[in-house]
Amino acid sequence: SLTSKEPIDIFTHAQPLSFFLTKVHGISSDYNGAYTMSLRDILSESMGNLQESCQFNYMFEIPWLIQQYPTSFRQKPLLCVHGFQGGQKAGLEADARKFTNIKFCQAKLEMPYGTHHTKMMFLMYDNGLRVVIHTANLIERDWHQKTQGIWISPVFPKLKSGPSPTQGDSPTHFKRDLLQYVAAYKAYQLKDWQDHISRHDLSSANVFIVGSVPGRHMAEKKHWFGHMKLRKLLNENGPVKEQASKWPVIGQFSSIGSLGASKENWLSVEFLQSLATVKGTSSVPLAPVEFKLIFPTVDNVRTSLEGYPAGGSIPYSINVAKKQPWLHSYFHQWKSEGRGRNRAMPHIKTYCRPSPTWGEAAWFLVTSSNLSKAAWGALEKKGSQLMIRSYEIGVLFIPKYLVENAVFKCSSKVKEAGQKTFVLPYDLPPRAYTKSDKPWIWDIAHKELPDSNGNMWCPS
Ligand SMILES: CC(C)c1cccc2c(O)c(C(=O)O)cnc12
């Protein structure tokens, strides 16, 4: 089997879907083989002879990050793209002082409460360019005992014909959309990487990009980002209504924003309308679609490998939760028996449209976007503009671009997965909260029961 193979063999075995979870310390090696990668695996020499790299992220531990590169690559030029300002920015630059190969790009954040959540790598090898889009901060804790998602591109070869924004694009417009996303930073430090991308042939990319960029996007730009981009992609490439209009939608995430006093404010109308979009415009209002949300319970966190400290990365605050009790009736537990990750708390964020029998899916999205208007955008001015606060990015898997079927065969049972199965991060059907289950909230005390390390949770 694959447990002892080189990262490139794990990568090859996972084609064409190329969707991975991070390796987890403390679970059986059965679940750290096929379809799993560590950061060292991704950066390993077996994946390519690195010349320079670019890391987009929210949190960075610079010395730890450098340690994840092979020794031979630790002096290569590295650009870190972040959204930090003031003291946090100064701290980041101080941590990198002794690494003369590291440069920084501060993403502009002009919308209040916006953050730079995007987690993406550009890896330039001597034989081409690889893109990685994922959900983990570049800090040790995020790669140790959590469930995180990763999409890894093939190595895109150099175009013989020189730079082009259109040459070397894929049927999924991956090159156009990636260049559009990077251009939105309007950052001079990214110019060389924009040039690298334009000089490569990305025609083998088989996923769609769903990104978010802060701003008030109107007219044609309204469909370039956020949930309106997803709505457009599903309108053009989603399942036909005859097949999937009665299929449920699943949202799975590790944080939640303020969504309003009732579901109609945003969740069940604007947001669900995008997630439930089927091919072709539907003037006729479709039958209501079931929306199931997967978010860890207090007990999921308490009994996790990390114990209550896992909740330090699940920042759902009491001040937000108490305003939206209506939301918690949508909630389901974190369950990942099939991936051996019941106790590896989710930091991954995914959205999908499974069949009512749970064995198929019409599409799957892995992204940095949590359940928040800041990430996905909120329509304003009678729906004429989409207001987004944060930078986010994810990839949308559509069956007809990946397998010879109109739907994915899907399962979390990695031991039984066939080559064309979409291996899910969590078990289906989702398991509803019990009467006594409570959603994890990070800024209240939890001291009824000790966690897996015998500790209580007493935030001050
Ligand atoms: C509330 C903020 C500061 C926060 C707390 C804990 C974990 C966070 C996290 O993991 C991300 C991210 O992954 O982008 C972003 N903000 C996170």
Side-chain angles (χ1 to χ4, degrees):
S1 84
L2 280 157
T3 35
S4 58
K5 286 283 180 82
E6 285 285 295
I8 190 63
D9 297 319
I10 298 283
F11 173 80
T12 303
H13 175 80
Q15 299 313 301
L17 292 160
S18 209
F19 175 60
F20 303 84
L21 299 185
T22 50
K23 283 185 165 54
V24 172
H25 292 84
I27 66 173
S28 157
S29 62
D30 293 357
Y31 298 105
N32 280 329
Y35 308 103
T36 71
M37 284 275 182
S38 67
L39 183 53
R40 284 203 164 138
D41 292 340
I42 296 169
L43 298 172
S44 69
E45 293 171 327
S46 75
M47 293 290 280
N49 183 18
L50 194 73
Q51 305 300 303
E52 58 178 312
S53 60
C54 181
Q55 295 280 0
F56 294 71
N57 218 299
Y58 172 69
M59 284 193 249
F60 297 77
E61 282 165 0
I62 299 293
W64 174 83
L65 171 59
I66 297 297
Q67 285 290 325
Q68 307 317 302
Y69 285 79
T71 312
S72 54
F73 297 163
R74 289 178 188 163
Q75 325 264 337
K76 303 292 181 185
L78 165 59
L79 176 65
C80 292
V81 183
H82 65 90
F84 280 172
Q85 300 166 338
Q88 287 190 306
K89 173 182 176 181
L92 198 50
E93 290 169 350
D95 294 344
R97 194 81 67 217
K98 71 172 191 174
F99 301 102
T100 52
N101 58 315
I102 296 181
K103 288 195 177 110
F104 289 100
C105 170
Q106 179 195 352
K108 59 186 171 34
L109 278 165
E110 286 149 356
M111 304 291 289
Y113 303 107
T115 43
H116 185 263
H117 275 158
T118 287
K119 295 163 172 72
M120 173 162 63
M121 310 180 195
F122 296 154
L123 306 174
M124 180 59 76
Y125 303 127
D126 54 7
N127 68 336
L129 171 68
R130 190 190 299 275
V131 176
V132 179
I133 290 174
H134 64 104
T135 65
N137 286 290
L138 294 172
I139 64 176
E140 181 167 26
R141 199 179 65 200
D142 266 36
W143 294 81
H144 184 52
Q145 295 188 308
K146 298 181 187 301
T147 299
Q148 303 269 18
I150 311 165
W151 172 78
I152 305 178
S153 83
V155 178
F156 298 127
K158 201 159 183 171
L159 282 170
K160 295 171 184 50
S161 57
S164 165
T166 51
Q167 271 256 33
D169 204 352
S170 65
T172 63
H173 295 299
F174 187 86
K175 181 169 183 173
R176 177 198 69 189
D177 290 356
L178 185 60
L179 284 169
Q180 177 187 77
Y181 176 81
V182 177
Y185 285 74
K186 299 192 179 75
Y188 69 89
Q189 302 94 329
L190 283 169
K191 194 184 163 314
D192 288 349
W193 283 103
Q194 290 169 266
D195 185 58
H196 283 318
I197 294 165
S198 67
R199 289 178 182 280
H200 283 78
D201 173 1
L202 284 68
S203 56
S204 61
N206 51 27
V207 293
F208 291 86
I209 283 186
V210 181
S212 290
V213 169
R216 288 184 169 82
H217 307 290
M218 48 192 85
E220 65 155 353
K221 293 198 173 78
K222 200 177 83 172
H223 295 277
W224 286 11
F225 305 114
H227 77 77
M228 293 303 284
K229 171 66 178 290
L230 181 58
R231 187 180 296 192
K232 175 172 171 285
L233 290 176
L234 293 175
N235 201 281
E236 294 164 352
N237 305 286
V240 292
K241 65 169 175 281
E242 290 73 23
Q243 176 200 60
S245 59
K246 292 188 176 54
W247 289 21
V249 170
I250 292 190
Q252 175 274 313
F253 38 81
S254 60
S255 185
I256 307 165
S258 191
L259 305 178
S262 74
K263 64 182 174 33
E264 290 79 11
N265 291 112
W266 180 80
L267 186 85
S268 69
V269 179
E270 178 177 331
F271 187 52
L272 180 57
Q273 185 175 337
S274 290
L275 289 168
T277 294
V278 290
K279 190 178 287 183
T281 48
S282 50
S283 52
V284 177
L286 294 166
V289 169
E290 272 206 286
F291 197 9
K292 295 173 179 293
L293 303 180
I294 297 174
F295 183 75
T297 66
V298 173
D299 240 37
N300 288 154
V301 174
R302 183 179 66 81
T303 59
S304 72
L305 292 163
E306 297 173 87
Y308 283 128
S313 295
I314 307 174
Y316 190 25
S317 85
I318 183 66
N319 288 331
V320 171
K322 70 189 179 192
K323 292 186 296 184
Q324 47 201 34
W326 54 267
L327 176 66
H328 305 148
S329 58
Y330 286 85
F331 282 5
H332 296 72
Q333 304 171 33
W334 171 257
K335 287 284 295 159
S336 178
E337 193 72 39
R339 298 301 299 267
R341 283 165 169 76
N342 279 337
R343 300 181 62 211
M345 284 302 101
H347 190 261
I348 188 174
K349 295 91 173 145
T350 63
Y351 302 79
C352 72
R353 186 129 206 217
S355 58
T357 52
W358 311 108
E360 297 172 325
W363 55 265
F364 189 91
L365 175 72
V366 61
T367 172
S368 60
S369 293
N370 278 304
L371 186 66
S372 79
K373 292 156 65 173
W376 285 104
L379 288 168
E380 294 179 335
K381 297 204 179 333
K382 293 189 179 359
S384 67
Q385 64 186 40
L386 183 70
M387 193 275 282
I388 294 176
R389 297 183 187 278
S390 298
Y391 291 87
E392 313 277 354
I393 201 162
V395 291
L396 177 67
F397 300 85
I398 296 282
K400 79 177 184 214
Y401 293 88
L402 286 145
V403 295
E404 284 80 44
N405 272 357
V407 294
F408 291 122
K409 182 178 177 308
C410 66
S411 168
S412 66
K413 298 189 175 90
V414 66
K415 295 185 179 182
E416 302 166 14
Q419 197 66 25
K420 295 286 178 192
T421 305
F422 196 102
V423 189
L424 296 170
Y426 39 72
D427 303 336
L428 290 180
R431 179 176 300 184
Y433 276 21
T434 65
K435 283 252 164 305
S436 59
D437 274 328
K438 299 265 184 267
W440 170 258
I441 291 173
W442 80 324
D443 51 359
I444 59 173
H446 297 282
K447 44 192 180 186
E448 304 256 294
L449 290 169
D451 71 7
S452 37
N453 302 315
N455 300 316
M456 300 301 185
W457 183 255
C458 308
S460 50

